[in-house]
Amino acid sequence: MAVFTSRAIVLRRVAFGDFDLIVTLLTLDRGKITVVAKAAKKSIKRFAGALEPFAPIEAVCSKGRGMPILQEASLEHPLTNIRVDVGKTAYASYWAEIIDIYLEENHKQTDLYRLLYFTLTGLDAGGRSGEMWSILFMVRFLILAVLEPSFDQCFVCKAGVERSAAFYFDLTKGGIICERCSLSPSGKIRLMKGTLKQLLWLGKKELAQAVRARFNTGSVDEALSLLEAFLPYHLGKTPRSLKFLKNLRFDAAGL
């Protein structure tokens, strides 16, 4: 059997029989793969906490005729601060589920791996809110998935973002409409010019620079409303973790 080793992030795991687990990994070298971890529920030596959701690991797998077998997994980063915070856990779960829904198996996706690892470790380190990390993740994911919305001009009159104080985003067309061209705002998401400029900036800068973006409270709310509507619409499926995440925000706001 051929053996390969790769850095990986656990996207999902499900029980298989009494002792095994089926584990979906986003690997640095091979993209998304699904492996079986035999006796994972009772093996402390081989897996020792490494198969928790969104855990960054180093995976050693063997490939024969059937599904690859996860022989060993060592934890690369414990993400302790995420795991003790339900809000951070919800964001990490949401990002992992987005990638799991989007990716097909065995297509190398180095940039997606690096994006997920960057946002997970950044969220764990703190310094920025979970909302800001999620906005960054979603903007960059959409670019890598070639699903990027058009934020730079009205798709009707071609006016740039400087030409109007506010715009409406049309999910079906994947772009913005200025106030003058929007005959009916019903069903569209209102965005202020400042929010659009920040979203454009997030898409153009290197990750280390983009994470420094400063959104005011109104812009954070607008960006989340847009991105959390746009992503499921174009993925064709709403992540289950998104409903939980929204409920957490609702409860935190005391609504």
Side-chain angles (χ1 to χ4, degrees), residues 99-116:
I99 290 179
D100 188 27
I101 291 171
Y102 169 71
L103 285 184
E104 297 181 357
E105 297 255 344
N106 297 306
H107 291 279
K108 189 174 181 178
Q109 297 283 350
T110 303
D111 289 338
L112 271 180
Y113 174 90
R114 289 175 175 158
L115 172 62
L116 183 57

Side-chain angles (χ1 to χ4, degrees), residues 122-140:
L123 179 67
D124 186 73
R128 305 303 306 273
S129 68
E131 288 83 359
M132 282 304 306
W133 280 110
S134 199
I135 290 168
L136 174 63
F137 173 84
M138 288 187 284
V139 168
R140 301 305 283 251

